[in-house]
Amino acid sequence: VRVLETAPAGVLQRQPRWWMNPALLVKAMRVKDGSGSSIVQTSIEADGSNLFSILGFRAHLVAAAPSINAPAARVAVFGEPGGFIAAVRKMFTIETSHQHKWNTLQLTYRATTRFRAQMRHANAFVALKLAAA
């Protein structure tokens, strides 16, 4: 809940989400709220539109996210998806070459494009850190 309290108001207005490693989601399922219910809900328990939700906000499982369950480790991120931009250029270049000839292929191809990823709003995300030991 402290992560939600520290998130800027604008983030809470733009369909924020959680991102975390699947291994840590299983551990988060053990965390209970004041009434004894898990803070993590499955789609059956919630509205059915999300696979998992944490405190009512959609949770995305990301295998590339940190999976370290240690004191003071960052285990999840909460924020607005539009705070980070990943852009792929619509123009692709395809080149051919006759120089590399193998037994089966007489022509080689190379496709290139441009990609850029950039943080759009520095305060669009809040990290969830575990308590220090």
Side-chain angles (χ1 to χ4, degrees):
V1 174
R2 287 188 191 127
V3 170
L4 301 178
E5 290 174 346
T6 58
V11 169
L12 296 172
Q13 295 173 332
R14 295 185 182 103
Q15 299 178 346
R17 299 170 185 169
W18 291 93
W19 289 272
M20 67 188 322
N21 191 290
L24 294 175
L25 180 74
V26 174
K27 294 180 185 340
M29 289 178 162
R30 296 185 194 132
V31 178
K32 308 289 183 198
D33 63 9
S35 65
S37 299
S38 175
I39 62 167
V40 178
Q41 290 186 323
T42 64
S43 62
I44 297 169
E45 297 167 323
D47 60 3
S49 62
N50 303 316
L51 189 56
F52 294 102
S53 64
I54 300 174
L55 298 173
F57 295 98
R58 186 180 205 173
H60 289 278
L61 304 179
V62 182
S67 62
I68 299 168
N69 186 16
R74 291 183 177 166
V75 294
V77 172
F78 177 78
E80 169 204 356
F84 187 83
I85 296 175
V88 179
R89 198 170 182 165
K90 291 183 179 180
M91 184 183 83
F92 290 89
T93 304
I94 299 177
E95 301 169 347
T96 61
S97 172
H98 293 285
Q99 293 179 3
H100 298 287
K101 294 184 179 180
W102 291 284
N103 294 351
T104 57
L105 300 174
Q106 295 298 309
L107 190 64
T108 58
Y109 295 93
R110 178 175 66 178
T112 57
T113 189
R114 294 180 185 222
F115 179 85
R116 182 176 180 163
Q118 177 178 337
M119 186 67 74
R120 188 173 176 191
H121 302 291
N123 60 353
F125 302 97
V126 180
L128 171 63
K129 287 177 63 175
L130 296 177

